[in-house]
Amino acid sequence: MAPAAFPNSGMSITSRAKASRAGFAPLIPLDRRGAKPLYRQIYDWFQQAIVSGELPPGRRMPSTRSLASALGISRISVLNAFEQLHAEGYLQGRVGSGTYVADTIPEHFPHAPAGSPGPAKRHNTSRRVSHTVEALLALPRPQFLQTAAPFRTSQAALDQFPVETWSRLVARHARKASIAMMSYGDPMGYPPLREAIAEYLRASRAVDCEPRQVMVVTGSQQALQLTALALLNRNDPVWMEEPGYRGARQVFLMAGVRRIPVPLDREGLSVEEGIRRAPDARAVYVTPSHQYPMGMTMSAARRMQLLNWAARSGAWIIEDDYDSEYRFDSRPIASLQGLNHGEGTIYIGTFSKVLFPALRTGYLVIPDHLTPAFAAVRDAIDIFSPTLHQAALADFIHDGHFARHIRKMRMLYMERRLLLAGELQRQLGDEVEVVSAEAGMHLVALLPPGVPDVAVSAAAARIGIATMPLSASYETPPARGGLILGYGATDARQIREGVEKLAGCIREQSWYSRAAD
Ligand SMILES: Cc1ncc(COP(=O)(O)O)c(C=O)c1O
């Protein structure tokens, strides 16, 4: 609300205020039928006039009686507004001589001219964001659709989730929420959930762990961030799979470590090449069960080689086991962590793919001697994860719903994967090459050499298809582009129609790149 002219004078506040030492009764435009109470409108008007400098420090305020009568409203509204301005330090009273704008208000408060956007919307070029944010914003951000469109990656079949069972469990815990459940919790997590996770990981993933080593976190993203904070220093060299998971790259960028891209071959990350590039790396980030995004499983020989190097050099292994529940050709692959009994390995898992991402729940398995370090970092960041959902999740696992859901989803994803691979073959033949393993919720289709994947993704996005360009997973652009195609939340009809649309985009871009040659 901009300060208005004085009644009967046509003068601005400043000119009238300068002219009069006896206070004034400005015409405040009031909206008598609006939702905002009258006292609040009066308060806002004066607060704005004081902050903007229109009413300078020491200026006398009108009497509440005269202002109320000039505005034709009850004195109570004016009194309430003045009381609030007093309480916040905008006004001061001088005994026997009325109310004044407080002397303590600085004369030169940087304010926006009336009518200009508020402080939050203005840009001040002399104020800088951190170097970390500048670097984060500089990461390539491909134009792919972020909505729940066909082939969106990292999206589970959320329509298949047993919502009723889940909401019953949440409601049960919400209804009987005890004092303990409502107060601060353990940075390591809710004990029954940690027990349920440890049991599941021992049985299904051959992870060597006890509940005391499990920390419940808000998704793998936080697990990675805690790991970086607990174990790494700025400029520490860290091996990263190339191509690899963009979320991990973001975390290591924020941690200021030196990311060392290490290429892959058919057996997974090339340890030999890693040693050649940075033999003294402090850590390695790997997705050995199902490499993201290429999908290969790290071979047994390569696992031994990696563990041997890490043991010799004292490097940490950060194992991201994000979707290995879904293997279609064999039983889930045993974790790398279990192979060396957790020595020097931080194991990370998530419920984002097996349940739903908005749960924001994942877990870390931490070597025993490091749990105080991780708990201290967690305490400093956000203390602990919300207890209500942890309690519901503990029951969901304990009562068998979790295992049942995984079994059902494994069948569904297997069918969708088969259909997608078949449709790609049927509609595009040799024009694309499917490279991923029989696992997970996405596959990679390599494009014809020379066809830019970012352009294909952008063209697909324009017609409602959400592919992720493979090159976005690289530190340095690859020789051959591809598309990461999620099929978790893409049903049979969408797969058939989506591949047809994609084929159109790929052929169109192939034509452009041939024409440009
Ligand atoms: C390699 C990898 N790790 C982890 C995640 C899951 O992250 P979050 O648990 O933070 O949702 C994803 C999801 O796409 C992923 O691709």
Side-chain angles (χ1 to χ4, degrees):
M1 204 187 298
F6 285 84
N8 314 322
S9 73
M11 283 192 276
S12 74
I13 285 176
T14 323
S15 55
R16 170 67 181 260
K18 272 181 191 145
S20 167
R21 299 285 308 154
F24 56 88
L27 177 63
I28 299 175
L30 294 174
D31 180 359
R32 282 157 210 271
R33 271 186 285 244
K36 203 193 259 188
L38 288 176
Y39 93 88
R40 188 69 212 187
Q41 296 183 44
I42 296 166
Y43 162 88
D44 283 349
W45 192 93
F46 278 105
Q47 194 259 6
Q48 163 73 21
I50 293 169
V51 167
S52 69
E54 295 281 343
L55 283 179
R59 177 68 64 224
R60 186 168 187 181
M61 296 287 282
S63 76
T64 51
R65 201 179 303 276
S66 65
L67 184 56
S69 105
L71 295 173
I73 57 170
S74 104
R75 196 171 156 223
I76 287 288
S77 300
V78 180
L79 278 170
N80 284 344
F82 276 34
E83 242 166 52
Q84 185 69 27
L85 290 160
H86 250 294
E88 292 179 14
Y90 290 107
L91 300 182
Q92 64 191 32
R94 289 185 195 152
V95 183
S97 65
T99 304
Y100 293 81
V101 175
D103 290 333
T104 45
I105 301 283
E107 291 258 17
H108 299 291
F109 181 74
H111 61 269
S116 73
K121 294 188 196 131
R122 279 178 282 133
H123 299 286
N124 183 335
T125 46
S126 64
R127 292 209 177 99
R128 306 296 301 265
V129 293
S130 68
H131 294 320
T132 305
V133 166
E134 281 170 353
L136 258 188
L137 293 176
L139 277 183
R141 262 175 303 173
Q143 294 292 306
F144 55 89
L145 271 189
Q146 297 277 9
T147 55
F151 304 135
R152 166 87 158 85
T153 55
S154 309
Q155 193 82 338
L158 300 181
D159 58 345
Q160 302 292 317
F161 183 72
V163 173
E164 274 181 23
T165 306
W166 174 253
S167 47
R168 189 168 40 77
L169 295 176
V170 173
R172 189 162 82 198
H173 285 283
R175 262 199 310 273
K176 62 165 200 197
S178 60
I179 300 286
M181 186 164 282
M182 288 191 289
S183 51
Y184 283 98
D186 187 336
M188 294 294 289
Y190 180 65
L193 178 58
R194 294 164 66 200
E195 276 162 34
I197 292 173
E199 195 183 323
Y200 161 67
L201 291 178
R202 278 196 302 255
S204 305
R205 312 286 311 110
V207 173
D208 191 332
C209 68
E210 294 299 325
R212 63 173 185 274
Q213 296 171 262
V214 175
M215 176 188 269
V216 181
V217 293
T218 57
S220 340
Q221 202 60 20
Q222 187 182 51
L224 285 167
Q225 198 187 3
L226 291 169
T227 305
L229 283 164
L231 306 181
L232 302 173
N233 294 312
R234 290 190 84 73
N235 296 321
D236 278 349
V238 175
W239 290 2
M240 308 274 303
E241 293 165 325
E242 172 83 336
Y245 179 46
R246 196 171 180 273
R249 204 186 311 156
Q250 288 172 309
V251 166
F252 291 123
L253 181 150
M254 287 202 296
V257 302
R258 204 146 51 81
R259 303 189 307 281
I260 312 290
V262 179
L264 313 169
D265 58 26
R266 268 196 309 205
E267 294 185 67
L269 175 127
S270 164
V271 176
E272 242 168 60
E273 190 55 31
I275 294 173
R276 211 179 58 72
R277 294 184 182 198
D280 58 341
R282 282 265 302 180
V284 52
Y285 166 80
V286 268
T287 48
S289 300
H290 185 220
Q291 202 278 334
Y292 186 88
M294 301 309 275
M296 75 277 286
T297 301
M298 188 179 270
S299 69
R302 195 55 64 81
R303 286 166 189 247
M304 309 284 182
Q305 210 185 348
L306 184 65
L307 291 171
N308 281 341
W309 164 76
R312 270 199 322 274
S313 65
W316 299 107
I317 295 177
I318 304 167
E319 176 176 15
D320 183 356
D321 203 8
Y322 63 104
D323 76 350
S324 48
E325 287 81 5
Y326 299 133
R327 282 206 81 79
F328 313 135
D329 52 355
S330 62
R331 280 185 54 74
I333 304 288
S335 67
L336 192 57
Q337 192 268 9
L339 211 55
N340 71 339
H341 307 290
E343 176 67 35
T345 303
I346 312 298
Y347 177 88
I348 295 174
T350 178
F351 290 104
S352 287
K353 308 239 178 182
V354 267
L355 298 182
F356 56 99
L359 189 58
R360 296 318 300 139
T361 304
Y363 44 85
L364 280 157
V365 176
I366 306 162
D368 252 332
H369 70 285
L370 283 179
T371 53
F374 275 75
V377 174
R378 182 70 195 276
D379 191 46
I381 289 191
D382 66 344
I383 313 180
F384 71 111
S385 289
T387 308
L388 177 61
H389 278 174
Q390 292 193 67
L393 183 50
D395 286 357
F396 191 82
I397 299 174
H398 188 259
D399 297 352
H401 305 297
F402 183 62
R404 203 169 307 124
H405 184 60
I406 292 178
R407 275 198 303 275
K408 184 173 155 199
M409 289 300 97
R410 191 178 288 139
M411 294 305 292
L412 181 72
Y413 296 149
M414 185 166 72
E415 284 167 20
R416 289 185 174 177
R417 186 186 193 288
L418 255 176
L419 179 64
L420 175 56
E423 283 298 307
L424 286 167
Q425 174 62 32
R426 191 175 69 78
Q427 299 198 40
L428 280 149
D430 292 344
E431 287 174 74
V432 295
E433 186 186 333
V434 174
V435 291
S436 308
E438 301 278 318
M441 286 163 40
H442 72 267
L443 57 74
V444 170
L446 293 178
L447 293 174
V451 176
D453 55 11
V454 172
V456 176
S457 265
R462 286 194 288 276
I463 52 169
I465 304 280
T467 67
M468 169 90 89
L470 178 63
S471 57
S473 302
Y474 280 81
E475 290 273 357
T476 37
R480 188 172 177 190
L483 299 175
I484 308 176
L485 303 175
Y487 48 81
T490 310
D491 66 23
R493 186 184 54 79
Q494 289 173 314
I495 290 176
R496 286 194 195 94
E497 292 174 7
V499 172
E500 196 175 324
K501 289 181 182 169
L502 261 186
C505 297
I506 293 170
R507 291 194 177 120
E508 184 187 54
Q509 292 303 321
S510 294
W511 186 87
Y512 285 139
S513 45
R514 275 198 308 273
D517 280 345

